[in-house]
Amino acid sequence: MTSATSSPLSTQTVELSPSYTLPLVLIVAAVPLLLIKIWVSLVIAVFGLFLLFQAATIRLQFTETALDIYRSETMIRRFPYQEWQNWRIFWSSVPILFYFKEVKSIHFLPILFDPKMLETCLEQRCPKS
């Protein structure tokens, strides 16, 4: 977190920690699938490796006004909260997918970040109506 500790969390910039759970589960699940279907196993393993790379390089920052997405030090996208209509984390017991809808578009992101902090930031900055 950045900013003074006396200000509320909703006004601080919060960068989510990466979570490698989803990519590692996919990679491990691909191993026994080698005995059943090699091509299915390879597809799942490659997807897991892709998500592992994304978790290592992509950063989500919740600012006071927007969700910013960075690759290393470069901002690649900004999503102002004022344009959000709805959001949801699918399968809250085992969070794997984050959905949010803006005025003109819908977004689905795999959970490659700390799911508890993601939900906390969303509830503070974009409360569900």
Side-chain angles (χ1 to χ4, degrees):
M1 286 185 232
T2 340
S3 211
T5 54
S6 61
S7 46
L9 183 62
S10 62
T11 61
Q12 295 179 353
T13 296
V14 177
E15 183 172 301
L16 299 183
S17 302
S19 171
Y20 300 102
T21 305
L22 180 59
L24 293 176
V25 165
L26 289 173
I27 292 167
V28 169
V31 174
L33 286 175
L34 279 170
L35 302 173
I36 300 168
K37 290 280 186 189
I38 291 174
W39 68 271
V40 172
S41 174
L42 290 175
V43 167
I44 291 173
V46 167
F47 184 59
L49 289 170
F50 168 75
L51 291 179
L52 189 66
F53 174 76
Q54 295 290 46
T57 60
I58 300 286
R59 294 290 168 260
L60 265 60
Q61 287 187 358
F62 284 88
T63 68
E64 190 173 350
T65 59
L67 169 62
D68 295 340
I69 300 179
Y70 287 84
R71 179 176 309 280
S72 300
E73 300 297 319
T74 307
M75 183 191 306
I76 56 175
R77 190 78 194 267
R78 172 169 277 159
F79 298 101
Y81 306 131
Q82 66 193 27
E83 296 180 10
W84 290 38
Q85 292 182 327
N86 192 16
W87 63 267
R88 183 171 178 199
I89 297 176
F90 288 100
W91 301 289
S92 58
S93 57
V94 183
I96 62 169
L97 192 62
F98 165 49
Y99 152 86
F100 68 99
K101 182 179 181 202
E102 289 184 293
V103 175
K104 295 182 180 180
S105 59
I106 295 173
H107 308 277
F108 289 94
L109 302 171
I111 301 286
L112 301 176
F113 314 96
D114 178 355
K116 289 182 181 12
M117 188 54 114
L118 172 65
E119 188 167 18
T120 299
C121 288
L122 288 167
E123 288 172 350
Q124 289 174 344
R125 289 163 169 85
C126 304
K128 291 183 178 181
S129 47

